Amino acid sequence: LVVGAVIVGYFLWPFLTGAGYEPVPDRILSRMIELSQPKKGQRVYDLGSGFGRIIIRVAQETGATCTGVEIDPLKVWWTKRAIRSKGLGSQVNVVRSNLLDADISQADFVFVFLWEGIMQKLGQKALKEMNPGSMIVSYYHKILGWEPVKEDAKNRIYLYKIPGFSYVAERSP
């Protein structure tokens, strides 16, 4: 009975927190990396990072410094374990947080595979927090009202660039 409750709780937790889990297919991730081209020294965030596949792979393939943001404590634990086992502790980390509360102001790239409603909130957050020229790399869902600077329509991958202005002044007290 306890094991059943744990299993049901584990699968219901993401839906209760508004964060369902579906991994980005490998071929799509390859294309996301190819289109965005992060480089060593740049900072890549993955919002809703699940088990850390994106941050680990981007770090290994590009040399970028990567941060995952994940609300599920079991996925955070698993990701930290995977990071240690691959010897990437100085290059990759994961934080437990709601993606809408996470600080993305240092990100050069934000990778996402999020639900449509969250994408609009992410767009507002990105305008307030991210630096002009930073990029959002989205799989499947668009940010309504934004024009991608690069697009792979067949694979539903969209790259958005934060415009050359920011709303920092509006955040000041």
Side-chain angles (χ1 to χ4, degrees):
L1 187 61
V2 171
V3 172
V6 168
I7 291 171
V8 169
Y10 180 75
F11 287 104
L12 286 178
W13 172 257
F15 294 101
L16 296 173
T17 61
Y21 175 70
E22 183 178 347
V24 171
D26 283 335
R27 68 178 180 75
I28 297 295
L29 179 53
S30 294
R31 186 72 175 128
M32 292 171 80
I33 294 168
E34 179 186 338
L35 283 173
S36 59
Q37 300 181 345
K39 307 221 179 326
K40 185 173 183 163
Q42 292 184 310
R43 295 179 185 165
V44 175
Y45 283 55
D46 178 20
L47 302 183
S49 60
F51 293 101
R53 280 181 50 247
I54 291 175
I55 54 176
I56 289 170
R57 186 154 159 209
V58 169
Q60 289 174 324
E61 290 185 14
T62 70
T65 301
C66 298
T67 299
V69 177
E70 176 58 51
I71 197 166
D72 184 327
L74 293 174
K75 290 182 183 107
V76 170
W77 173 80
W78 184 267
T79 302
K80 286 181 178 184
R81 214 172 138 254
I83 291 166
R84 276 192 307 273
S85 74
K86 296 182 183 305
L88 295 170
S90 64
Q91 188 181 356
V92 181
N93 74 318
V94 62
V95 294
R96 182 171 180 251
S97 177
N98 179 309
L99 62 93
L100 293 174
D101 295 333
D103 178 4
I104 58 172
S105 63
Q106 299 302 309
D108 295 303
F109 296 91
V110 170
F111 279 57
V112 293
F113 176 24
L114 302 173
W115 295 350
E116 192 172 6
I118 293 283
M119 289 300 293
Q120 303 325 310
K121 293 177 183 177
L122 173 63
Q124 295 166 6
K125 176 180 179 60
L127 285 175
K128 291 177 184 172
E129 293 183 26
M130 293 177 73
N131 292 319
S134 300
M135 305 284 287
I136 297 173
V137 185
S138 177
Y139 169 55
Y140 207 81
H141 292 292
K142 292 182 176 182
I143 301 174
L144 296 179
W146 288 43
E147 191 65 37
V149 294
K150 287 185 185 177
E151 179 176 350
D152 179 339
K154 177 184 171 199
N155 290 306
R156 299 186 77 165
I157 301 169
Y158 311 99
L159 272 70
Y160 299 98
K161 189 174 191 175
I162 303 303
F165 61 89
S166 69
Y167 295 97
V168 174
E170 291 181 18
R171 289 188 301 177
S172 300

